[in-house]
Amino acid sequence: MFDVASLGEVLIDFTPDGSSGSGNARFEQNAGGAPANVLAALSKWGKRTAFIGKVGRDAFGRFLTDTLEACGIHTTGVVRTDEASTTLAFVHLDESGDRSFSFVRNPGADMLLTESDVDYSIVERSKIFHFGSISMTHEPAASATIKAAMIAKAGGTVVSFDPNLRIPLWKNLEHAKEKFRIGLTYADVLKISEEELAFITGTQDLVQGSQSIFLHYGVRIVLVTRAEKGCFVRKGDIAFSVPGFPAEAVDTTGSGDAFLGGFLYQLLERDCRIDDLGEDELYAMVRFSNAVGALVTTKKGAIPAMPALTEIGEIMMIANPQTKQDKYRPQFHFSPSSGWLNDPNGLVYFEGEYHLFYQHYPDKSEWGPMHWGHAVSKDLARWEHLPIAMAPDRNGMIFSGSVVVDRNDTSGFFGGGAGLVAVFTHADTYPGTVYTGPGAYVIDGKTITERPRQRQSLAYSKDKGRTWTMYEGNPVLADVEITDFRDPKVFWHEADQKWVMVLVAGDHVRFYASANLKEWTFTGKFGAEEGSHAGVWECPDLFELPVDGETGHTKWVLLVSIGDNPEYPEGSRTQYFIGHFDGRTFTSDLEPAEILWMDFGRDNYAAVTWSDVPEQDGRRLLIGWMSNWKYANQTPTVEWRSAMTIPRSLSLTRTAEGIRLISQPVEELSELRGEPVPLPSGTVVSGERALSGLSGNGYEIEAEFSWEDTAEFGLILCRSDREETVIGFETETGFLYIDRTRSGESGFHEAFPCKHGAALQSAGNRLKLRVFVDQSSVEVFADDGRLVLTDLIFPDPSSDGVALYSKGGDVKVSRFVYYPLNSIYADSSKRPLAESRGTI
């Protein structure tokens, strides 16, 4: 089975390569031909492709076949002939990189493809069949092409057509128009330039021309490419434009083919469900395609210039992160440029930079073979994306772990200096085993039936985390008796002058010690009978904090995340324990059945803290994955999935219930604030009050309320006539909640629309809230972080209203300040995500 098969020309593109010493033009040989270019892009992105065509039995034909095979394209459908030479095309570039062509094709081998040459079973075994018009300029190739399109259409295969008008190759323009019309009768997807649209329809109006194509030929998706301007899209009655990406064009050869390859890739990612595609999804698909086309113009040649998925994601992020399709992209939270993100890993501060590594699958926006993505920041607010730090190798996928600064070179990796050492889980399977228990890997929708194997390994960096070397002695710690054996958090224990590893093992935490990070000794375990066991234990962290800032009185905090369990509506979440660590094991101050949750929202998981933050800073800094395993793979984003919470500062304080963990936003986020908009102090709210002067999708609110006799009050955010997210407080029970039942898009999982929260003992009938809203999330910090709620929401951008409300009495607003927050992205750093209009 193939994802895409194409039929047509594969030829030699001779592209300009300067001049000889005598001043004559010099040309470089590259493989080309529009149908082959499309496949080259798709093969580079992991799709199974097959080419059908004819080449000469000459050196050029061998070069082309070898090139296709090197790209991963199946060439069983390529026929060689002695009757004609391989077609040659000389590309001439003007100053802007635009092309004109001269062809050596009289005849060319591609023109001689016959029906008997074609293995039509390749077409029948493909999800998409793609063809162009150049194979229809002459017989017998024209008849072979049309028959392939007819077979594809009859068999329910999606048919893609690119007219690709090259006037010198046609007998006359009427002949070209006749063949174009035949191609259109079979096309489900049409990629056509503005000039070709005018040629076929007689109008330069994109709306009218695309509608004519749709009405006359029933083409389901019309893509009118407009070079650097982007693309005009039509699907039935839906029609819109998608802007292009700026690029310093060197050679535009193959850019249209790359564009189409990008679109077909996106279509395959959606199982070729053309009828189900809405406007937002189409916008996302075409934006991806525009990025591919733009990138190809920055290099010479077509096939050699096809970009990697990571390159595409980077240009999409940098060029314009806030677009129509990207309406859910957070603007002051970290998110991947493309692909999948989950647990934060390897959080470390080193030489002026906060490092954020994270679980990452660059090829799809769902969980898959794990890599470590990487970003750095100097202020915990603005992040610079760096290349992938570590990718799967012979020992397996790269699961979660930590990074430490080996200041004294205990590992021996740094020649007596200092450097970074990553301690992480290598994940693969035990060969030859059969496993049906919990924790089996599911990759690309397929369950791996061998027993999971998880072992701890090392990598080290001598260049501030930019490149990593795997330790040749990996793995350094394994236990064949334990299946879930992962997520090492390592720190230097100063009192004992040794490294400590905290590791989860299914239902408990294990502790190990080492002098050199390479050899580990088991020292203790904790938790089999303590805390919540509603899911598998994951992502531990252990650190010491002063209580109420008293340096002489400290406690140790152990964080443990709990995986999803279908029986519990909360899904995955993070608990914590407070107690003592003696250098060997942890002892909890809590009763065994007592459970403390770090966050009472639905979407803060695998949260861990930065190591090696300078002592003079004095903070324990944390960040979490802002999603939930219950629905993480289904959230309604397209090119990317998931984000991190805002970074938080942790502390311990005494409460009536005992010592508790406090979480507050890091102070650096205040640098993103725009002009504050206050509400007059002492404002009384009775019923509902819309703050009509405010609107936006990214902002911060600081509010303080007091009351005497009211049943409930709160904030209504991201509001329109059809959507709203409520932050409410029930005064009798002290229940603080988020209600996202009408927050926006939620049909992707039945557990998502819900109301949830926790009891907060607020002193003196007063409540203090600090709230952050960012496109698709809301984070609530109540009473200086004593209770925290973190939730995803997916409202339409037009749902941007803000209101106050009370029920059963009045509430006094003693303080209310609204701060629009600026985007962290360079191209929009001065554009606030929210605004105020007059007074509120």
Side-chain angles (χ1 to χ4, degrees):
M1 185 72 180
F2 297 104
D3 292 308
V4 182
S6 72
L7 183 151
E9 74 280 5
V10 60
L11 46 81
I12 300 293
D13 279 335
F14 282 107
T15 54
D17 188 31
S19 58
S20 66
S22 57
N24 294 319
R26 186 167 57 196
F27 290 85
E28 179 183 57
Q29 168 184 287
N30 284 298
N37 293 340
V38 171
L39 296 188
L42 288 160
S43 291
K44 186 161 188 174
W45 306 326
K47 300 304 180 185
R48 288 177 50 83
T49 61
F51 182 75
I52 302 167
K54 205 164 197 175
V55 298
R57 198 179 301 277
D58 51 32
F60 292 130
R62 286 194 299 275
F63 171 76
L64 290 172
T65 304
D66 290 346
T67 301
L68 295 180
E69 290 174 351
C71 291
I73 301 169
H74 287 255
T75 59
T76 54
V78 178
V79 180
R80 290 187 172 189
T81 181
D82 293 314
E83 298 179 51
S85 299
T86 301
T87 297
L88 310 179
F90 287 83
V91 183
H92 309 283
L93 303 176
D94 63 20
E95 293 180 356
S96 65
D98 286 332
R99 309 154 297 155
S100 59
F101 295 87
S102 301
F103 292 91
V104 180
R105 188 183 187 243
N106 191 28
D110 61 293
M111 299 162 56
L112 305 182
L113 185 71
T114 66
E115 292 183 27
S116 61
D117 287 330
V118 178
D119 180 357
Y120 289 104
S121 70
I122 295 175
V123 177
E124 294 169 334
R125 290 184 287 122
S126 299
K127 298 175 184 176
I128 298 175
F129 172 68
H130 172 66
F131 72 109
S133 71
I134 291 178
S135 60
M136 295 194 289
T137 61
H138 295 80
E139 292 291 354
S143 294
T145 302
I146 293 168
K147 182 176 179 180
M150 186 184 306
I151 289 172
K153 191 74 171 181
T157 298
V158 172
V159 179
S160 164
F161 177 52
D162 176 9
N164 196 21
L165 178 61
R166 297 288 179 261
I167 293 175
L169 299 180
W170 293 91
K171 298 174 185 177
N172 54 62
L173 291 181
E174 282 305 312
H175 181 223
K177 194 172 290 187
E178 172 195 341
K179 297 300 185 184
F180 281 17
R181 288 169 176 161
I182 293 173
L184 289 170
T185 61
Y186 296 106
D188 295 297
V189 176
L190 172 68
K191 192 225 48 138
I192 189 169
S193 70
E194 290 181 280
E195 296 78 14
E196 291 161 350
L197 183 70
F199 174 69
I200 290 291
T201 65
T203 178
Q204 295 183 339
D205 186 293
L206 302 182
V207 174
Q208 294 180 9
S210 60
Q211 187 175 38
S212 174
I213 294 287
F214 167 66
L215 293 175
H216 284 88
Y217 301 100
V219 178
R220 297 159 77 189
I221 297 177
V222 180
L223 306 168
V224 185
T225 55
R226 308 180 66 208
E228 71 279 358
K229 298 176 188 174
C231 179
F232 180 84
V233 186
R234 177 176 290 280
K235 176 180 177 274
D237 294 332
I238 300 172
F240 55 89
S241 291
V242 183
F245 289 79
E248 295 183 9
V250 173
D251 179 3
T252 58
T253 305
S255 62
D257 308 325
F259 167 92
L260 182 56
F263 188 82
L264 298 182
Y265 172 83
Q266 291 289 324
L267 189 58
L268 287 163
E269 290 292 281
R270 292 157 180 79
D271 298 323
C272 299
R273 296 177 291 97
I274 292 179
D275 291 341
D276 295 340
L277 297 176
E279 184 174 347
D280 286 348
E281 204 161 11
L282 276 170
Y283 193 103
M285 296 165 70
V286 175
R287 183 168 180 264
F288 177 92
S289 308
N290 283 345
V292 177
L295 282 169
V296 167
T297 68
T298 64
K299 301 176 184 177
K300 287 188 176 181
I303 290 177
M306 296 301 171
L309 289 171
T310 51
E311 294 178 87
I312 301 165
E314 286 166 6
I315 188 177
M316 292 172 68
M317 186 69 144
I318 294 168
N320 187 7
Q322 188 173 4
T323 60
K324 179 178 181 178
Q325 135 294 325
D326 230 2
K327 62 185 179 181
Y328 298 137
R329 168 83 73 179
Q331 294 295 289
F332 57 86
H333 289 74
F334 178 82
S335 60
S337 56
S338 63
W340 166 271
L341 168 150
N342 59 288
D343 306 353
N345 296 152
L347 305 182
V348 65
Y349 181 88
F350 186 57
E351 295 188 1
E353 293 179 322
Y354 295 95
H355 290 261
L356 168 60
F357 301 91
Y358 55 94
Q359 291 287 276
H360 182 42
Y361 184 30
D363 295 342
K364 287 188 176 182
S365 57
E366 59 187 39
W367 192 92
M370 285 293 99
H371 301 56
W372 268 26
H374 188 197
V376 294
S377 174
K378 294 185 182 299
D379 62 3
L380 291 170
R382 299 170 181 86
W383 295 93
E384 175 189 356
H385 288 265
L386 294 178
I388 287 171
M390 291 187 282
D393 64 3
R394 62 184 176 84
N395 284 314
M397 299 178 283
I398 313 297
F399 273 19
S400 291
S402 51
V403 171
V404 295
V405 180
D406 188 6
R407 300 189 185 282
N408 299 316
D409 195 20
T410 63
S411 63
F413 291 144
F414 307 110
L420 298 176
V421 179
V423 190
F424 61 93
T425 301
H426 256 131
D428 62 355
T429 59
Y430 288 96
T433 60
V434 177
Y435 183 77
T436 58
Y441 306 137
V442 180
I443 299 175
D444 292 338
K446 298 178 181 178
T447 300
I448 308 302
T449 57
E450 291 184 317
R451 181 189 169 202
R453 178 170 64 177
Q454 298 174 359
R455 303 174 292 175
Q456 317 320 311
S457 292
L458 306 179
Y460 58 93
S461 174
K462 299 179 179 181
D463 57 1
K464 297 179 63 175
R466 269 53 180 182
T467 60
W468 291 84
T469 302
M470 289 290 182
Y471 172 47
E472 62 184 11
N474 283 340
V476 298
L477 179 63
D479 192 324
V480 71
E481 300 299 323
I482 304 174
T483 297
D484 293 303
F485 188 64
R486 59 179 178 265
D487 307 343
K489 180 62 185 278
V490 173
F491 63 93
W492 178 254
H493 191 246
E494 186 66 28
D496 290 340
Q497 291 290 292
K498 65 182 180 183
W499 297 102
V500 171
M501 179 193 294
V502 189
L503 188 74
V504 285
D507 64 351
H508 67 281
V509 170
R510 298 171 75 86
F511 302 92
Y512 298 83
S514 174
N516 59 13
L517 294 167
K518 299 174 182 176
E519 297 156 334
W520 294 90
T521 301
F522 173 72
T523 63
K525 59 183 179 179
F526 166 80
E529 305 296 332
E530 284 90 2
S532 172
H533 289 273
V536 65
W537 282 26
E538 295 187 308
C539 303
D541 199 354
L542 179 64
F543 47 87
E544 190 175 17
L545 285 176
V547 179
D548 289 322
E550 300 171 8
T551 55
H553 184 199
T554 64
K555 288 289 183 179
W556 284 80
V557 179
L558 174 65
L559 303 181
V560 178
S561 288
I562 307 297
D564 179 40
N565 183 330
E567 297 180 6
Y568 293 86
E570 294 87 357
S572 54
R573 45 190 172 156
T574 301
Q575 66 178 328
Y576 70 93
F577 302 89
I578 295 172
H580 174 67
F581 179 68
D582 63 3
R584 297 181 60 82
T585 193
F586 177 83
T587 304
S588 177
D589 292 346
L590 309 178
E591 294 297 321
E594 189 174 1
I595 301 171
L596 302 179
W597 299 111
M598 189 179 70
D599 192 313
F600 289 90
R602 288 290 192 261
D603 298 299
N604 183 359
Y605 189 68
V608 288
T609 64
W610 266 273
S611 70
D612 295 276
V613 174
E615 189 174 340
Q616 58 269 30
D617 182 295
R619 293 179 295 174
R620 175 59 60 168
L621 301 170
L622 171 140
I623 200 168
W625 173 40
M626 195 160 56
S627 195
N628 192 308
W629 278 122
K630 194 172 286 293
Y631 43 72
N633 280 285
Q634 288 84 46
T635 53
T637 56
V638 180
E639 298 160 357
W640 58 278
R641 185 166 277 124
S642 293
M644 297 298 177
T645 67
I646 56 174
R648 303 168 185 194
S649 179
L650 302 181
S651 59
L652 290 175
T653 192
R654 296 179 180 87
T655 71
E657 296 81 24
I659 296 173
R660 295 294 182 262
L661 188 65
I662 303 299
S663 301
Q664 297 195 70
V666 295
E667 59 191 23
E668 288 88 340
L669 294 174
S670 298
E671 298 174 9
L672 301 178
R673 288 174 172 174
E675 289 296 319
V677 184
L679 193 68
S681 179
T683 296
V684 176
V685 176
S686 180
E688 186 177 299
R689 174 172 175 173
L691 305 180
S692 57
L694 303 179
S695 68
N697 308 113
Y699 52 86
E700 174 190 355
I701 291 174
E702 291 183 333
E704 295 183 27
F705 303 90
S706 61
W707 67 95
E708 292 183 2
D709 186 20
T710 188
E712 181 181 329
F713 63 88
L715 298 163
I716 305 173
L717 309 173
C718 304
R719 190 178 202 192
S720 65
D721 57 357
R722 63 192 181 283
E723 296 175 351
E724 64 181 21
T725 298
V726 179
I727 300 170
F729 184 74
E730 299 171 356
T731 59
E732 183 175 349
T733 60
F735 185 66
L736 179 70
Y737 68 85
I738 290 178
D739 184 347
R740 63 181 185 188
T741 55
R742 297 183 61 239
S743 63
E745 193 169 350
S746 61
F748 52 88
H749 196 281
E750 61 183 7
F752 189 83
C754 59
K755 172 183 174 180
H756 53 271
L760 173 67
Q761 299 303 318
S762 199
N765 283 7
R766 302 184 68 86
L767 176 66
K768 184 177 181 180
L769 296 179
R770 191 174 178 190
V771 179
F772 290 82
V773 172
D774 187 8
Q775 312 292 126
S776 57
S777 67
V778 56
E779 292 163 277
V780 181
F781 299 84
D783 283 355
D784 297 314
R786 291 174 183 265
L787 191 150
V788 180
L789 297 163
T790 302
D791 267 32
L792 292 175
I793 53 175
F794 296 99
D796 187 87
S798 63
S799 299
D800 60 0
V802 180
L804 296 165
Y805 80 94
S806 69
K807 296 179 180 179
D810 299 341
V811 64
K812 180 185 288 187
V813 184
S814 51
R815 184 171 186 269
F816 181 97
V817 185
Y818 175 98
Y819 300 95
L821 296 179
N822 291 312
S823 171
I824 62 176
Y825 299 113
D827 72 317
S828 53
S829 61
K830 295 183 179 179
R831 174 174 51 79
L833 303 172
E835 61 182 9
S836 61
R837 299 185 297 271
T839 60
I840 58 172

